[in-house]
Every structure is written in structure tokens, then in C-alpha cells.
Amino acid sequence: MSISSEHKPLGKQVTGSLHTLSPIVELNVGGEMYTTTLSTLKKHPGSKLAEMFTGQPKLRTDSEGRFFIDRPGTYFKYILEYLRSNQVPTQCIQDVYKEALFYDIEPLIKQLEDSPQIFGELVARKQFLARVPNYSENIELMIRIARAEAVASRQSSVIVCVVRTEEDAARCQDALNSLDMDKKSVVKFGPWKAVPSISDLLDCIQMDVEAKGYKISVQPHVAEKGFRFKSQDFFYKFLFTWW
């Protein structure tokens, strides 16, 4: 005996048009379960999230018939809260911002970008670092050097030369020429045309290396006696601790 459509087991989503579904939708977002309405998910028609639930279903379902979204489920609650009540989250701002970008919820993106955390990162710090030549490439170079020197060691160090101006860059090159070390292992940052100082750049380097999971510290590099410049004018030692 066949089961009529109104007696289908609860929680099993139909794979036909979404217009035939219940307005209540069950979601599995990265292993976190949510229940909401189609109207909430489609609140911003131009968003990627709304497109997922417009027309034919564009998502797979889990074993219980819930629509599955392969994203961090922890932060989806903040996305839902915004869709339900226009409440902009005050926690996990950086992570929620990433999710808002993924779901392409433009009003939430703009409001988050006005928050001190995102504004400071995008407008202040990122704009500064964009003016430091080869910044990202130099971060990766530092990590490669540190890893290459980590064999059978608890710590490895990378010497960094930081120059604020073109004049400092020339003096730094003279200093490098008189250093008794492999010049290829010295990573050079700068010069740049922006307000932030050398200590600001050192903070950025440490922040971005630590964001990749490394434990590091920084200190002025003290050269041997007879060095013709004060080494702390340009040179710093980044110490990677492995265990």
C-alpha cells in the first residue's frame, strides 16, 4: 500500500522543486543542525545563499534528508541571526565576515566592514602592507628558511633586514656586504611609503607568521664587534620554536 505525500516521514526533504517543500527547512551546516524558513534563507535574493534555495535544489542532502552545506557550522548561527533580525554579530567578527563573503550577503558584508576589527584589518593594516614590496612572498621565504634550519633543533632563526626609506636601503646593503653571513638567508623588507614604523611592520610580520600556526619571537640582531653600523638599526632575528 503506497504512502500518500502528506504522510511522508518528517525530516526527509523532497528532491523536487523547492516550491513544493514545506516552508520549514532543516539544514546540516558542517555537522551543525539548524531549522529555519525558506523566506529567511532567501531574504536577500541576490545572495549565494538565496540562490541555493531558489528553483531546483542546488545542495546535497545528508542521511536524514537535511540540506547539507559544507561550511563551518559554528558561525552559521550568526548568519541566521542576521537574516532573522538584522542583528550584526559582535563575536567572531573575522570568521563571520568570511562566511558572509562566501554566502555573498552584501548588506551584512558592508556592515561588518564598518566594524573596528574589519575596518582596521582591511583599510589600515592591509593597505599598509600592500605598500611594502613583496611582503607576502617574504613571509613565505622566512618560513622556508626556518623550516630548512629546523633539522634536529628545537629552534631555528631567520635574520630579517627592515628598511624604512631608500636611504636606509642603501645603508642596509652596505651593512649586508660587511656581514659575515650567507646573504641569501637574510630576508629584506622595505622600503615603503606609509606612516607605520619599523616596529609596526615587525608586529605585522609576527602576527602573520603566527596566524599560520608558528610560534615565534623577535629581537634585535646583534652583530659581531667591529660591525660598521649599529645592527639594531636594520637587522632583527625571528626565532621559531618547534617544540
Side-chain angles (χ1 to χ4, degrees):
M1 176 175 167
S2 62
I3 301 176
S4 63
S5 59
E6 60 267 26
H7 293 102
K8 288 182 182 290
L10 293 176
K12 295 290 186 178
Q13 298 286 1
V14 182
T15 58
S17 170
L18 282 165
H19 296 297
T20 67
L21 296 179
S22 164
I24 307 301
V25 179
E26 292 186 356
L27 300 173
N28 176 346
V29 185
E32 299 281 342
M33 310 308 164
Y34 294 94
T35 302
T36 187
T37 65
L38 275 177
S39 60
T40 295
L41 295 170
K42 296 165 66 176
K43 184 174 181 179
H44 297 285
S47 69
K48 181 178 178 180
L49 183 62
E51 291 178 358
M52 291 178 182
F53 296 93
T54 300
Q56 294 294 326
K58 300 174 177 64
L59 296 169
R60 294 171 294 174
T61 56
D62 66 11
S63 60
E64 297 297 320
R66 292 172 292 230
F67 285 106
F68 179 72
I69 302 176
D70 193 14
R71 295 294 295 179
T74 303
Y75 310 115
F76 190 73
K77 64 182 179 182
Y78 300 109
I79 300 293
L80 267 187
E81 191 62 36
Y82 176 78
L83 295 175
R84 288 166 173 161
S85 60
N86 290 323
Q87 180 176 329
V88 179
T90 57
Q91 303 177 50
C92 308
I93 301 297
Q94 298 280 358
D95 294 303
V96 176
Y97 179 66
K98 293 177 185 177
E99 297 310 297
L101 288 173
F102 173 79
Y103 295 114
D104 195 20
I105 304 172
E106 193 65 30
L108 177 57
I109 292 171
K110 290 181 178 178
Q111 291 184 69
L112 288 173
E113 287 179 348
D114 283 337
S115 70
Q117 298 94 322
I118 303 299
F119 179 87
E121 176 69 14
L122 294 180
V123 177
R125 200 176 85 92
K126 291 291 188 185
Q127 288 297 315
F128 160 51
L129 295 179
R131 301 182 185 189
V132 180
N134 304 314
Y135 177 80
S136 297
E137 294 85 346
N138 283 340
I139 292 290
E140 295 301 325
L141 177 57
M142 285 179 62
I143 292 171
R144 288 200 300 272
I145 293 172
R147 292 175 68 95
E149 296 181 358
V151 178
S153 300
R154 183 173 186 179
Q155 294 178 320
S156 55
S157 62
V158 178
I159 305 301
V160 167
C161 176
V162 183
V163 291
R164 178 74 175 73
T165 66
E166 293 287 353
E167 181 182 2
D168 286 344
R171 295 177 64 212
C172 178
Q173 189 57 51
D174 288 342
L176 271 174
N177 291 336
S178 65
L179 270 177
D180 184 20
M181 65 166 61
D182 182 2
K183 298 178 182 60
K184 293 181 181 179
S185 66
V186 178
V187 182
K188 177 175 169 290
F189 286 85
W192 63 87
K193 295 181 179 180
V195 173
S197 65
I198 286 177
S199 63
D200 294 324
L201 181 66
L202 293 172
D203 286 343
C204 288
I205 294 171
Q206 184 166 359
M207 183 186 309
D208 289 331
V209 173
E210 288 179 340
K212 295 178 180 293
Y214 296 92
K215 182 180 179 181
I216 64 168
S217 61
V218 59
Q219 61 191 46
H221 175 62
V222 180
E224 66 281 354
K225 292 181 180 180
F227 188 57
R228 46 195 260 177
F229 298 107
K230 289 192 301 181
S231 59
Q232 58 265 34
D233 286 348
F234 306 115
F235 297 98
Y236 299 84
K237 179 187 293 185
F238 280 83
L239 199 62
F240 287 69
T241 300
W242 303 103
W243 49 273

